[in-house]
Amino acid sequence: MKIIYTSVLFLGTVSMFYSQNTNDTISKESKIEEVSVTGSRNKKRTVTNTPVPVDIIDIKQVSQSTGQVEVNQLLQFSAPSFNSNKQSGSDGADAVDPATLRGLGPDQTLLLLNGKRYHQSSLINLFGTKGRGNTGSDMNTIPIGAIKRIEVLRDGASAQYGSDAIAGVINVILNDRNQGFEGNAFYGMNLFKSPGNKDVVSEHKIDGTTFDFSGNLGTKIGNNGGFGNFTVEFINKERTIRNANPDRYTTSREKFGDAKSQNFYFFGNIELPLSDGLKFYSRQGFSQRKTNAYAWTRTADADGNIPEVYPNGFNPIEDTSITDFTFDNGLKFKVADWDVDFYNAFGSNRFTYQIDNTINATLGIKSPTSFNAGGHSLLQNTTGFNAAKQFGVLHGLNIAFGSEFRYEQFEIIKGEEASYAMYDINGNIVTPNTPQALLVTNPLSGTTPLSIRPGGSQGFPGYSQEVNKNRNNFAAYVDTELDITKNWMISVAGRFENYSDFGSTLNGKFATRYAITPQFAFRGSVSTGFRAPSLAQKYYSLQFTNFQGGDLVTIQLASNDSDLAQAVGIPQLKQETSVNGSAGFTFNTGKFTATVDGYYIKVKDRIVLTGNFNQNDDAIGPILAENHIDQAQFFTNAMDTRTKGVDIIVSYTENLGNGKLSATLAGNYNEMEITKINTSEKLQGKENVYLSPRERAFILASAPKTKVNLNLNYKISKFNANVQLVRFDKVKLIGYKGADDYQLYGAKVTTDISFGYEFSKNLNLTIGSKNLFNRYPTLQTAHVDGNTESGGIFDPVQMGFAGRQAFARLNFKF
């Protein structure tokens, strides 16, 4: 378990210590792999001598001693600079945990699968979630049971790997075991207890029950070292309910908590030598994930309810289905002593939404109560090659170069008409020319004039427009490493990319490492980086009709290429650019290690979603009125940020009695500031609408300022015990009513504990508890009128709001 703190968080510095210890010196839970491929294309480079920080995490060993069944949550409670929270009432984000590295955007960390670019999710985070306006990769599409290890490059790497690598690179390596079967069965349940003073209630004292089974089979193929490794995994997780006590508070949500989900995975990893020096490989992945999440409550007299259908009001349910597919194939061979890898990596991600227990209030009692709301999909296909060769220059020169061609396609799937349309009293679709007298009103509103009923499916409006857009990208790179002496090496890399929809970019990187003594080494790097605007950010659009203050409003989330965006002067999206710097040292005396790594990341032109502009705006209000749009939002390169921080780790191992004690104290300090708001020319002076203080607070709260982990592991004979404490720093958010309407979440500490016993080399059992003392974020009792983003009594911050979980995990082999 100890390896999580170091290898995910601390830029690889601790890996120098781990690699110099045998498996007996560190516990089985913290076994380290020596070979590294991320961050260096030199096959002789290991985690002990990379010029940039690279960490190796043995996920299989770690997962056996924890109660986590998904990659994002496993990293959330293990890596202080990695943050990912379960969402609630956030539409598609309830099914995908938005993840951030060092507080940067979810789309600023590149995800690889066995060294090849992994496709992004088609979801763009919009409502009620962090990372709004951002896309990103979904690591939860990859089952833990299929993963051998994860390599984390915690350094800007766009010059080596291309777009999205501003914060770093996460490389997921699949299992390659060639014989035997290994199974894991996990069962966990949340043991609910009110966090104090009966502010929170649950429908059941035991909820959130989770069952996870994975089976991994390895087999040899042929007699020349070929293999196939296949994983099947199934997860069933029931929802948790953490409502505000209705006897004490009135909130916007009656059903607040983690969503119900059911996930099925299949992953394969095949390698087959075809002849001497020629090897074929193939990686296949498929996942089907279904999530059932409650949206915000509609009360009995709400404008969006029909009392004849729902006498007591209703809680809309969003049934989200995510189908994810990956298929990578390639050939490895030699040409004139160059190691060549020619490959094609295909991936697709498809979201569809079925909204149940809902209604289109403008259809009255004739309305269906279930709607197909449409969805979105993303396809990415990358064809490329890499070549690398060693030269006998000084103490060793490695040169690598390569090229890629990538095709991307983004699609919005139109929903059924009633899921987005608003109808008049005659059953005709409402248009800007529909007379006010024909609009459907709510006779129970008690206002004069009567409130107008909203159209579309309540809880999630369907997509009213189809979109099908594509682009292509060409890239070429060179990556060199030179060992000048036995103790000093340097690395230089450069990459050119051209996108068909916004142009070209050129980025570079310089890194170095110097071993001052065998125990003490310095390393540092400086680089430029970029992130291309995603297709979703360029072409996503959504129009729906809503009611605000009793008035009917048409809200347009306008795509960046739309006529409306051009009319109001929103510029075409361009790449985000960055400057990254890092410097650190490692000190190792065997039993004791100390590492420090500082970093500086300056990002220009970050893409976010603006606030709502309305017809009262003196600059663009008349344009909105002319287009019959009451309110509009846009994707734009809205801000510049500067992030600086430091990762510190202290580790100690000692024989204690007949066993071994390993202790690790790890911490991250991360500070981000928004240095500039980049308004368009027509909207200068409107920075507080372009990016409101509330939205800025959400961006800055993507990561706590500090996060500290303490891990203690004791192993004796067949028994081991693990205790982990995680301290989350305070978080401040701003509500809908301005800067004085803030929510302060105080610092919290969670405690995880587990005990394991090996009955034999083929059978072991682990029991334990996550969040043993049932810690929750600070209750926002002053904001129970819906001002919290989630509509509940707390927001998705820190450790989340599921509370304590007891679990048991059985691992078996044959």
Side-chain angles (χ1 to χ4, degrees):
M1 180 67 185
K2 185 168 83 173
I3 186 61
I4 288 188
Y5 297 108
T6 55
S7 60
V8 178
L9 168 65
F10 292 101
L11 310 180
T13 54
V14 75
S15 61
M16 293 184 65
F17 162 67
Y18 281 134
S19 62
Q20 294 170 7
N21 290 271
T22 67
N23 291 345
D24 292 333
T25 303
I26 57 176
S27 67
K28 187 175 182 180
E29 285 75 10
S30 53
K31 181 181 177 183
I32 193 72
E33 293 288 342
E34 177 72 16
V35 177
S36 169
V37 298
T38 309
S40 173
R41 290 186 169 90
N42 186 342
K43 293 172 63 177
K44 295 184 179 180
R45 198 69 63 194
T46 71
V47 293
T48 64
N49 56 21
T50 52
V52 292
V54 181
D55 306 312
I56 312 297
I57 314 159
D58 188 330
I59 285 292
K60 181 173 67 175
Q61 298 294 343
V62 169
S63 64
Q64 287 181 6
S65 60
T66 69
Q68 305 296 345
V69 298
E70 294 178 319
V71 176
N72 271 12
Q73 288 301 297
L74 187 150
L75 297 181
Q76 158 72 352
F77 287 91
S78 306
S81 59
F82 183 96
N83 286 275
S84 178
N85 295 108
K86 290 288 185 183
Q87 305 294 305
S88 183
S90 302
D91 298 334
D94 282 17
V96 177
D97 311 335
T100 64
L101 201 60
R102 290 178 170 172
L104 296 179
D107 48 11
Q108 291 176 325
T109 299
L110 175 63
L111 181 62
L112 306 177
L113 182 69
N114 276 38
K116 305 302 186 293
R117 176 178 286 266
Y118 193 71
H119 59 279
Q120 289 185 327
S121 168
S122 64
L123 175 72
I124 187 163
N125 299 308
L126 293 176
F127 305 115
T129 186
K130 293 180 182 177
R132 270 170 285 200
N134 294 168
T135 52
S137 298
D138 182 6
M139 283 193 288
N140 288 339
T141 59
I142 307 173
I144 286 180
I147 301 174
K148 178 180 181 181
R149 67 180 187 269
I150 291 181
E151 302 176 347
V152 180
L153 168 61
R154 196 62 61 87
D155 197 57
S158 294
Q160 296 164 292
Y161 295 102
S163 180
D164 309 345
I166 287 177
V169 178
I170 296 178
N171 187 11
V172 177
I173 306 297
L174 297 178
N175 283 330
D176 56 3
R177 186 169 44 83
N178 64 3
Q179 61 182 353
F181 177 86
E182 181 172 358
N184 274 279
F186 173 92
Y187 183 80
M189 56 185 176
N190 290 82
L191 307 175
F192 177 78
K193 180 182 179 182
S194 172
N197 204 24
K198 299 187 182 299
D199 286 318
V200 179
V201 297
S202 174
E203 292 182 348
H204 308 283
K205 290 187 177 180
I206 295 177
D207 63 7
T209 55
T210 301
F211 174 75
D212 174 21
F213 177 82
S214 67
N216 177 264
L217 175 67
T219 183
K220 295 180 180 180
I221 301 178
N223 299 316
N224 297 319
F227 72 87
N229 187 278
F230 307 97
T231 302
V232 174
E233 186 162 351
F234 173 78
I235 301 175
N236 186 80
K237 185 180 184 300
E238 298 297 326
R239 61 171 49 90
T240 62
I241 297 295
R242 300 294 180 264
N243 297 329
N245 189 336
D247 295 331
R248 297 172 62 87
Y249 309 112
T250 300
T251 58
S252 302
R253 305 254 323 263
E254 289 180 354
K255 304 288 186 180
F256 173 78
D258 290 347
K260 177 180 179 180
S261 62
Q262 191 174 84
N263 307 338
F264 172 78
Y265 304 88
F266 170 80
F267 264 68
N269 183 18
I270 297 173
E271 288 194 6
L272 182 62
L274 301 179
S275 64
D276 290 342
L278 178 62
K279 180 188 292 183
F280 168 77
Y281 62 85
S282 178
R283 282 104 199 194
Q284 318 86 39
F286 172 81
S287 66
Q288 177 68 57
R289 300 157 61 201
K290 295 183 180 295
T291 301
N292 179 283
Y294 282 116
W296 288 39
T297 301
R298 268 61 174 177
T299 59
D301 60 352
D303 295 335
N305 182 44
I306 301 298
E308 292 86 350
V309 180
Y310 298 111
N312 299 316
F314 64 98
N315 293 284
I317 296 175
E318 298 176 18
D319 284 310
T320 305
S321 178
I322 309 172
T323 303
D324 196 273
F325 181 70
T326 186
F327 189 48
D328 299 351
N329 298 276
L331 292 171
K332 292 183 179 180
F333 52 91
K334 281 186 175 291
V335 176
D337 292 329
W338 287 84
D339 292 310
V340 180
D341 182 357
F342 178 77
Y343 59 89
N344 187 84
F346 173 85
S348 67
N349 180 271
R350 179 183 177 93
F351 266 73
T352 56
Y353 301 89
Q354 180 73 26
I355 314 304
D356 297 326
N357 198 49
T358 185
I359 203 166
N360 183 326
T362 61
L363 290 175
I365 61 174
K366 297 181 180 179
S367 172
T369 57
S370 180
F371 299 88
N372 174 5
H376 38 79
S377 67
L378 178 70
L379 178 152
Q380 292 181 325
N381 189 81
T382 304
T383 302
F385 79 92
N386 301 315
K389 184 178 179 180
Q390 292 275 336
F391 294 88
V393 178
L394 296 179
H395 283 256
L397 169 67
N398 189 84
I399 298 178
F401 67 94
S403 179
E404 286 185 339
F405 180 83
R406 185 165 70 254
Y407 172 83
E408 300 178 328
Q409 182 178 27
F410 175 71
E411 181 182 5
I412 292 180
I413 305 160
K414 188 175 182 179
E416 63 177 287
E417 181 183 272
S419 72
Y420 59 82
M422 180 178 185
Y423 299 93
D424 65 17
I425 59 176
N426 297 316
N428 299 315
I429 294 179
V430 171
T431 70
N433 299 320
T434 300
Q436 185 86 5
L438 294 182
L439 299 180
V440 180
T441 58
N442 179 13
L444 301 178
S445 66
T447 61
T448 304
L450 296 178
S451 296
I452 299 169
R453 293 199 184 278
S457 51
Q458 292 296 292
F460 185 91
Y463 290 97
S464 60
Q465 299 174 340
E466 291 183 343
V467 171
N468 193 326
K469 298 289 186 177
N470 62 75
R471 72 175 176 198
N472 55 65
N473 152 257
F474 170 79
Y477 77 89
V478 61
D479 191 353
T480 65
E481 292 183 4
L482 175 65
D483 288 297
I484 298 175
T485 69
K486 183 176 69 174
N487 297 324
W488 182 29
M489 67 86 62
I490 61 173
S491 173
V492 179
R495 189 180 185 98
F496 169 81
E497 299 220 13
N498 177 268
Y499 284 79
S500 61
D501 57 347
F502 79 88
S504 302
T505 179
L506 180 65
N507 291 275
K509 181 172 184 175
F510 173 82
T512 186
R513 176 184 180 273
Y514 187 80
I516 299 172
T517 70
Q519 293 78 30
F520 185 79
F522 168 84
R523 62 183 168 202
S525 71
V526 61
S527 64
T528 62
F530 79 103
R531 191 192 72 81
S534 69
L535 285 178
Q537 288 173 322
K538 288 180 66 68
Y539 299 116
Y540 187 94
S541 66
L542 181 66
Q543 179 173 314
F544 58 96
T545 303
N546 207 339
F547 60 100
Q548 297 178 358
D551 296 325
L552 177 70
V553 295
T554 299
I555 301 174
Q556 175 75 53
L557 198 166
S559 64
N560 184 251
D561 70 332
S562 65
D563 293 338
L564 179 62
Q566 295 178 25
V568 301
I570 299 297
Q572 287 288 299
L573 292 179
K574 59 184 177 181
Q575 61 173 320
E576 302 172 351
T577 60
S578 71
V579 175
N580 294 56
S582 69
F585 65 84
T586 66
F587 180 72
N588 169 30
T589 62
K591 291 184 177 181
F592 176 81
T593 65
T595 65
V596 177
D597 284 278
Y599 55 87
Y600 174 91
I601 309 169
K602 184 177 181 180
V603 187
K604 292 186 63 177
D605 300 318
R606 285 181 62 171
I607 300 171
V608 297
L609 186 63
T610 69
N612 282 24
F613 289 92
N614 58 42
Q615 293 186 4
N616 295 325
D617 187 273
D618 57 0
I620 64 172
I623 299 174
L624 298 181
E626 182 181 345
N627 286 271
H628 306 290
I629 301 296
D630 296 294
Q631 296 181 8
Q633 292 178 278
F634 309 93
F635 291 100
T636 183
N637 297 93
M639 66 174 182
D640 301 346
T641 63
R642 180 168 56 229
T643 302
K644 52 189 176 182
V646 63
D647 298 323
I648 302 174
I649 182 169
V650 177
S651 297
Y652 182 73
T653 61
E654 182 63 76
N655 293 324
L656 187 63
N658 294 324
K660 184 168 291 293
L661 175 68
S662 300
T664 303
L665 178 66
N668 169 256
Y669 171 82
N670 188 85
E671 182 177 8
M672 182 195 296
E673 59 179 316
I674 298 173
T675 58
K676 184 181 179 183
I677 305 299
N678 307 310
T679 59
S680 62
E681 183 176 348
K682 285 187 178 182
L683 297 172
Q684 287 183 4
K686 303 179 186 298
E687 287 80 5
N688 283 345
V689 180
Y690 212 76
L691 194 66
S692 70
R694 175 173 167 272
E695 294 298 328
R696 298 180 207 183
F698 267 93
I699 293 169
L700 297 176
S702 294
K705 182 167 286 189
T706 63
K707 193 175 173 185
V708 181
N709 296 53
L710 173 64
N711 182 265
L712 301 172
N713 182 273
Y714 184 69
K715 181 174 177 61
I716 179 170
S717 185
K718 296 182 178 182
F719 174 82
N720 70 82
N722 199 89
V723 177
Q724 174 178 272
L725 289 88
V726 182
R727 182 190 184 273
F728 299 87
D729 202 1
K730 63 183 178 182
V731 176
K732 183 178 180 179
L733 300 176
I734 296 177
Y736 290 92
K737 297 180 181 179
D740 294 333
D741 177 29
Y742 63 86
Q743 296 117 45
L744 184 63
Y745 294 89
K748 297 286 183 177
V749 177
T750 62
T751 303
D752 301 339
I753 188 169
S754 67
F755 303 94
Y757 187 79
E758 297 180 6
F759 294 96
S760 71
K761 67 177 182 180
N762 293 325
L763 181 66
N764 65 70
L765 174 68
T766 302
I767 60 173
S769 175
K770 298 186 302 181
N771 197 355
L772 178 65
F773 299 109
N774 203 39
R775 296 292 184 251
Y776 289 80
T778 303
L779 302 178
Q780 300 300 308
T781 55
H783 301 275
V784 293
D785 57 353
N787 288 336
T788 59
E789 187 73 8
S790 61
I793 206 165
F794 22 52
D795 280 299
V797 297
Q798 298 168 328
M799 76 293 294
F801 33 70
R804 178 195 300 116
Q805 184 188 69
F807 69 87
R809 184 187 295 274
L810 182 68
N811 173 261
F812 53 94
K813 304 175 184 178
F814 57 83

